[in-house]
Protein backbone atom coordinates (compact mmCIF):
# COMPACT_ATOMS: atom_id res chain seq x y z
CA UNK A 1 0.00 0.00 0.00
CA UNK A 2 1.37 3.41 -0.94
CA UNK A 3 2.55 5.57 1.97
CA UNK A 4 2.27 8.70 -0.12
CA UNK A 5 0.22 9.59 -3.16
CA UNK A 6 1.14 11.74 -6.14
CA UNK A 7 -1.35 14.59 -5.99
CA UNK A 8 -1.58 17.13 -8.78
CA UNK A 9 -4.08 19.33 -6.91
CA UNK A 10 -6.91 19.36 -4.37
CA UNK A 11 -9.53 22.03 -4.88
CA UNK A 12 -13.14 22.88 -4.15
CA UNK A 13 -15.52 23.67 -7.01
CA UNK A 14 -18.77 22.62 -8.65
CA UNK A 15 -18.82 19.27 -10.45
CA UNK A 16 -19.23 20.20 -14.09
CA UNK A 17 -19.92 16.81 -15.65
CA UNK A 18 -22.19 13.81 -15.50
CA UNK A 19 -25.19 13.32 -13.28
CA UNK A 20 -23.55 15.17 -10.37
CA UNK A 21 -23.20 18.32 -12.52
CA UNK A 22 -23.90 21.31 -10.31
CA UNK A 23 -22.96 19.59 -7.03
CA UNK A 24 -20.30 21.32 -4.86
CA UNK A 25 -17.38 18.90 -4.70
CA UNK A 26 -13.82 18.57 -3.44
CA UNK A 27 -11.62 17.31 -6.26
CA UNK A 28 -8.54 15.22 -5.51
CA UNK A 29 -6.58 15.02 -8.73
CA UNK A 30 -3.93 12.30 -8.87
CA UNK A 31 -0.99 12.77 -11.19
CA UNK A 32 -0.29 10.15 -13.84
CA UNK A 33 -2.24 8.02 -16.27
CA UNK A 34 -1.66 4.74 -18.09
CA UNK A 35 -3.23 6.13 -21.31
CA UNK A 36 -2.44 8.96 -23.71
CA UNK A 37 -5.71 10.26 -25.12
CA UNK A 38 -5.26 12.80 -27.93
CA UNK A 39 -7.64 15.29 -26.26
CA UNK A 40 -6.27 14.94 -22.70
CA UNK A 41 -6.16 18.30 -20.92
CA UNK A 42 -4.51 17.08 -17.68
CA UNK A 43 -1.00 18.08 -16.67
CA UNK A 44 0.60 14.77 -15.66
CA UNK A 45 4.02 16.23 -14.90
CA UNK A 46 3.50 18.26 -11.72
CA UNK A 47 2.62 16.76 -8.36
CA UNK A 48 3.19 16.83 -4.62
CA UNK A 49 3.78 13.64 -2.64
CA UNK A 50 1.07 13.70 0.06
CA UNK A 51 0.36 11.26 2.87
CA UNK A 52 -3.11 9.86 3.52
CA UNK A 53 -3.49 12.11 6.57
CA UNK A 54 -2.51 15.19 4.58
CA UNK A 55 -5.01 14.38 1.83
CA UNK A 56 -7.82 13.74 4.32
CA UNK A 57 -7.15 16.92 6.28
CA UNK A 58 -7.01 18.99 3.10
CA UNK A 59 -10.36 17.49 1.99
CA UNK A 60 -11.85 18.22 5.44
CA UNK A 61 -10.96 21.92 5.12
CA UNK A 62 -13.56 22.28 2.37
CA UNK A 63 -17.33 22.20 2.40
CA UNK A 64 -19.08 20.06 -0.18
CA UNK A 65 -20.99 16.81 -0.04
CA UNK A 66 -18.89 14.75 -2.41
CA UNK A 67 -15.18 14.06 -2.94
CA UNK A 68 -14.23 13.29 -6.53
CA UNK A 69 -11.09 11.20 -7.06
CA UNK A 70 -9.89 12.09 -10.51
CA UNK A 71 -6.74 12.33 -12.55
CA UNK A 72 -4.94 11.15 -14.50
CA UNK A 73 -6.15 7.69 -13.58
CA UNK A 74 -6.88 7.55 -9.84
CA UNK A 75 -7.44 3.78 -10.01
CA UNK A 76 -3.66 3.34 -10.38
CA UNK A 77 -3.02 4.88 -6.99
CA UNK A 78 -5.89 4.58 -4.53
CA UNK A 79 -6.57 1.90 -1.92
CA UNK A 80 -9.49 0.94 0.33
CA UNK A 81 -7.98 2.63 3.39
CA UNK A 82 -7.72 6.02 1.70
CA UNK A 83 -11.32 5.67 0.47
CA UNK A 84 -12.50 4.65 3.93
CA UNK A 85 -10.79 7.61 5.65
CA UNK A 86 -12.22 10.00 3.07
CA UNK A 87 -15.69 8.55 3.73
CA UNK A 88 -15.13 9.25 7.44
CA UNK A 89 -15.12 12.98 6.58
CA UNK A 90 -18.87 12.56 5.93
CA UNK A 91 -18.55 13.13 2.20
CA UNK A 92 -19.61 10.63 -0.44
CA UNK A 93 -16.55 9.30 -2.31
CA UNK A 94 -16.82 9.29 -6.10
CA UNK A 95 -14.26 8.32 -8.71
CA UNK A 96 -13.73 9.17 -12.35
CA UNK A 97 -11.89 6.29 -14.01
CA UNK A 98 -11.03 5.06 -17.49
CA UNK A 99 -12.05 1.57 -16.31
CA UNK A 100 -8.70 -0.13 -16.97
CA UNK A 101 -7.88 -0.84 -13.29
CA UNK A 102 -9.65 -2.88 -10.63
CA UNK A 103 -10.94 -0.54 -7.90
CA UNK A 104 -11.42 -0.86 -4.12
CA UNK A 105 -14.99 -2.00 -3.47
CA UNK A 106 -15.87 0.68 -0.91
CA UNK A 107 -16.21 3.61 -3.36
CA UNK A 108 -19.70 5.15 -3.23
CA UNK A 109 -20.07 6.16 -6.87
CA UNK A 110 -18.05 5.04 -9.90
CA UNK A 111 -18.04 7.04 -13.12
CA UNK A 112 -16.35 5.11 -15.90
CA UNK A 113 -15.30 6.76 -19.14
CA UNK A 114 -13.70 4.11 -21.39
CA UNK A 115 -11.09 5.43 -23.81
CA UNK A 116 -10.54 2.35 -26.00
CA UNK A 117 -11.98 4.20 -29.02
CA UNK A 118 -9.05 6.65 -28.80
CA UNK A 119 -6.06 4.73 -27.36
CA UNK A 120 -4.49 1.30 -27.59
CA UNK A 121 -4.42 -0.94 -24.49
CA UNK A 122 -7.43 0.90 -23.09
CA UNK A 123 -10.09 -1.84 -22.97
CA UNK A 124 -12.00 -1.50 -19.69
CA UNK A 125 -11.66 -4.31 -17.17
CA UNK A 126 -14.65 -3.04 -15.17
CA UNK A 127 -17.98 -4.49 -16.31
CA UNK A 128 -20.25 -2.35 -14.18
CA UNK A 129 -20.35 1.18 -12.83
CA UNK A 130 -22.83 3.72 -11.52
CA UNK A 131 -22.35 6.12 -14.40
CA UNK A 132 -21.02 5.31 -17.86
CA UNK A 133 -19.75 8.45 -19.55
CA UNK A 134 -18.86 8.21 -23.23
CA UNK A 135 -16.90 11.02 -24.86
CA UNK A 136 -18.58 11.30 -28.26
CA UNK A 137 -16.23 12.05 -31.16
CA UNK A 138 -18.69 11.30 -33.95
CA UNK A 139 -16.64 8.20 -34.94
CA UNK A 140 -17.29 6.07 -31.87
CA UNK A 141 -20.54 4.19 -31.30
CA UNK A 142 -22.12 4.40 -27.82
CA UNK A 143 -23.81 1.02 -28.50
CA UNK A 144 -20.35 -0.60 -28.36
CA UNK A 145 -20.65 -0.21 -24.58
CA UNK A 146 -23.96 -2.00 -24.18
CA UNK A 147 -22.04 -4.80 -22.43
CA UNK A 148 -21.28 -2.47 -19.50
CA UNK A 149 -23.91 -2.40 -16.79
CA UNK A 150 -24.56 1.16 -15.59
CA UNK A 151 -27.31 2.96 -13.70
CA UNK A 152 -26.79 6.11 -15.79
CA UNK A 153 -25.46 6.45 -19.35
CA UNK A 154 -24.15 9.90 -20.32
CA UNK A 155 -23.09 10.94 -23.80
CA UNK A 156 -20.69 13.87 -23.68
CA UNK A 157 -19.59 15.59 -26.90
CA UNK A 158 -15.80 15.66 -27.22
CA UNK A 159 -14.16 19.05 -26.72
CA UNK A 160 -12.04 19.17 -29.88
CA UNK A 161 -10.79 22.72 -29.29
CA UNK A 162 -12.56 23.78 -32.50
CA UNK A 163 -15.86 25.56 -31.78
CA UNK A 164 -17.45 24.66 -35.12
CA UNK A 165 -16.63 20.96 -34.71
CA UNK A 166 -17.83 21.08 -31.11
CA UNK A 167 -21.15 22.55 -32.20
CA UNK A 168 -21.66 19.74 -34.76
CA UNK A 169 -20.73 17.04 -32.23
CA UNK A 170 -23.12 18.51 -29.65
CA UNK A 171 -25.95 18.51 -32.22
CA UNK A 172 -25.15 14.89 -33.19
CA UNK A 173 -25.05 13.79 -29.52
CA UNK A 174 -28.34 15.61 -28.91
CA UNK A 175 -29.98 13.67 -31.78
CA UNK A 176 -28.43 10.40 -30.59
CA UNK A 177 -29.99 10.81 -27.14
CA UNK A 178 -33.39 11.58 -28.64
CA UNK A 179 -33.16 8.31 -30.63
CA UNK A 180 -31.68 6.32 -27.74
CA UNK A 181 -33.36 7.62 -24.58
CA UNK A 182 -31.38 5.34 -22.28
CA UNK A 183 -28.61 7.93 -22.88
CA UNK A 184 -28.66 11.44 -21.48
CA UNK A 185 -26.75 14.37 -22.94
CA UNK A 186 -23.81 15.53 -20.81
CA UNK A 187 -22.31 18.97 -21.27
CA UNK A 188 -19.21 20.24 -19.48
CA UNK A 189 -20.73 22.93 -17.29
CA UNK A 190 -17.37 24.15 -15.92
CA UNK A 191 -16.22 24.95 -19.47
CA UNK A 192 -19.42 26.88 -20.17
CA UNK A 193 -18.87 28.83 -16.93
CA UNK A 194 -15.10 29.09 -17.51
CA UNK A 195 -14.28 27.77 -14.02
CA UNK A 196 -12.22 24.74 -12.90
S1 LIG B 1 -7.70 8.53 -19.52
FE1 LIG B 1 -8.20 10.63 -18.94
S2 LIG B 1 -6.38 11.38 -17.84
FE2 LIG B 1 -5.78 9.51 -18.96
S3 LIG B 1 -4.91 10.28 -20.88
FE3 LIG B 1 -7.07 9.83 -21.23
S4 LIG B 1 -8.17 11.79 -20.87
FE4 LIG B 1 -6.11 11.97 -19.98
Amino acid sequence: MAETYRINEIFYSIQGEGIHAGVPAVFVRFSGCNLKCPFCDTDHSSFLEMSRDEIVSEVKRHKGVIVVLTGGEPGLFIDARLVSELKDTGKKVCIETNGTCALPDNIDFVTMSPKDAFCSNAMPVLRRCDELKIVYSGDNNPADYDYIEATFRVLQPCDTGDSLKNEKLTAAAFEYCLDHPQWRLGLQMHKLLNVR
Side-chain angles (χ1 to χ4, degrees), residues 29 32-42 44 71-73 97-98 113 115 119:
R29 185 184 302 287
C33 188
N34 53 339
L35 303 183
K36 284 194 171 72
C37 300
F39 47 79
C40 185
D41 56 5
T42 305
H44 297 294
E73 173 46 53
T97 176
N98 60 32
S113 184
K115 298 295 191 304
C119 305

Coordinates of all heavy atoms in Angstrom, one line a residue, residues 29 32-42 44 71-73 97-98 113 115 119, ligand 1:
R29 N -7.1 15.4 -7.4 CA -6.6 15.0 -8.7 C -5.2 14.3 -8.6 O -4.3 14.9 -8.1 CB -6.4 16.2 -9.7 CG -6.0 15.8 -11.1 CD -5.7 17.0 -12.0 NE -6.9 17.9 -12.1 CZ -7.9 17.6 -12.9 NH1 -8.0 16.5 -13.5 NH2 -8.9 18.5 -13.0
G32 N -0.8 11.3 -13.1 CA -0.3 10.1 -13.8 C -1.4 9.3 -14.4 O -2.5 9.2 -13.8
C33 N -1.2 8.8 -15.6 CA -2.2 8.0 -16.3 C -1.5 6.9 -17.1 O -0.4 7.1 -17.5 CB -3.1 8.9 -17.2 SG -4.5 8.0 -17.8
N34 N -2.2 5.8 -17.3 CA -1.7 4.7 -18.1 C -2.0 4.9 -19.6 O -1.6 4.1 -20.4 CB -2.2 3.4 -17.6 CG -3.7 3.3 -17.5 OD1 -4.3 4.3 -17.4 ND2 -4.2 2.1 -17.4
L35 N -2.8 5.9 -19.9 CA -3.2 6.1 -21.3 C -2.7 7.5 -21.8 O -2.2 8.3 -21.0 CB -4.8 6.1 -21.4 CG -5.4 4.8 -20.9 CD1 -6.9 4.9 -21.2 CD2 -4.9 3.6 -21.6
K36 N -2.8 7.7 -23.1 CA -2.4 9.0 -23.7 C -3.5 9.4 -24.7 O -3.3 9.2 -25.9 CB -1.1 8.8 -24.4 CG 0.1 8.7 -23.5 CD 1.4 9.0 -24.4 CE 2.6 9.1 -23.5 NZ 3.0 7.9 -22.8
C37 N -4.6 9.9 -24.2 CA -5.7 10.3 -25.1 C -5.3 11.5 -25.9 O -4.7 12.4 -25.3 CB -7.0 10.5 -24.3 SG -7.5 9.1 -23.4
P38 N -5.7 11.6 -27.1 CA -5.3 12.8 -27.9 C -5.8 14.1 -27.4 O -5.2 15.2 -27.6 CB -5.8 12.5 -29.3 CG -6.8 11.4 -29.2 CD -6.4 10.6 -27.9
F39 N -7.0 14.1 -26.7 CA -7.6 15.3 -26.3 C -7.4 15.6 -24.8 O -8.0 16.4 -24.2 CB -9.2 15.2 -26.5 CG -9.8 13.9 -26.0 CD1 -10.0 13.7 -24.7 CD2 -10.0 12.9 -26.9 CE1 -10.5 12.5 -24.3 CE2 -10.5 11.7 -26.5 CZ -10.8 11.5 -25.2
C40 N -6.5 14.8 -24.2 CA -6.3 14.9 -22.7 C -5.8 16.4 -22.3 O -4.9 16.9 -22.9 CB -5.2 13.9 -22.2 SG -5.0 14.0 -20.4
D41 N -6.5 16.9 -21.3 CA -6.2 18.3 -20.9 C -5.5 18.3 -19.5 O -5.5 19.3 -18.9 CB -7.4 19.2 -21.0 CG -8.6 18.7 -20.2 OD1 -8.4 17.7 -19.4 OD2 -9.6 19.3 -20.2
T42 N -5.1 17.1 -19.0 CA -4.5 17.1 -17.7 C -3.0 17.2 -17.7 O -2.4 16.6 -18.6 CB -4.9 15.7 -17.0 OG1 -6.3 15.6 -17.1 CG2 -4.4 15.7 -15.6
H44 N 0.2 15.9 -16.4 CA 0.6 14.8 -15.7 C 2.0 15.0 -15.0 O 2.5 14.1 -14.4 CB 0.7 13.5 -16.6 CG -0.7 13.2 -17.1 ND1 -1.7 12.7 -16.4 CD2 -1.1 13.2 -18.4 CE1 -2.7 12.4 -17.2 NE2 -2.4 12.7 -18.4
G71 N -8.1 12.4 -12.1 CA -6.7 12.3 -12.6 C -6.6 13.1 -13.9 O -7.3 14.0 -14.2
G72 N -5.6 12.4 -14.5 CA -4.9 11.1 -14.5 C -5.9 10.0 -14.3 O -7.1 10.1 -14.5
E73 N -5.3 8.9 -13.9 CA -6.2 7.7 -13.6 C -6.0 7.4 -12.1 O -5.0 6.7 -11.7 CB -5.7 6.5 -14.5 CG -6.4 5.2 -14.1 CD -7.9 5.3 -13.9 OE1 -8.6 5.9 -14.8 OE2 -8.4 4.9 -12.9
T97 N -12.9 7.2 -13.6 CA -11.9 6.3 -14.0 C -12.1 5.9 -15.5 O -13.2 6.0 -16.0 CB -12.0 5.0 -13.2 OG1 -11.0 4.0 -13.6 CG2 -13.4 4.4 -13.2
N98 N -10.9 5.5 -16.1 CA -11.0 5.1 -17.5 C -11.4 3.6 -17.5 O -11.5 3.0 -18.6 CB -9.7 5.4 -18.3 CG -8.5 4.7 -17.7 OD1 -8.6 3.6 -17.1 ND2 -7.4 5.4 -17.8
S113 N -15.3 6.2 -17.8 CA -15.3 6.8 -19.1 C -14.3 6.0 -20.0 O -13.1 6.4 -20.0 CB -15.0 8.2 -19.0 OG -15.0 8.8 -20.3
K115 N -11.8 4.7 -22.8 CA -11.1 5.4 -23.8 C -10.6 4.5 -24.9 O -9.7 4.9 -25.7 CB -9.9 6.2 -23.2 CG -10.4 7.2 -22.1 CD -11.2 8.3 -22.7 CE -11.5 9.5 -21.9 NZ -12.1 9.3 -20.6
C119 N -7.4 5.1 -27.7 CA -6.1 4.7 -27.4 C -5.9 3.2 -27.5 O -6.9 2.5 -27.2 CB -5.8 5.0 -25.9 SG -6.0 6.7 -25.4
Ligands
LIG1 S1 -7.7 8.5 -19.5 FE1 -8.2 10.6 -18.9 S2 -6.4 11.4 -17.8 FE2 -5.8 9.5 -19.0 S3 -4.9 10.3 -20.9 FE3 -7.1 9.8 -21.2 S4 -8.2 11.8 -20.9 FE4 -6.1 12.0 -20.0

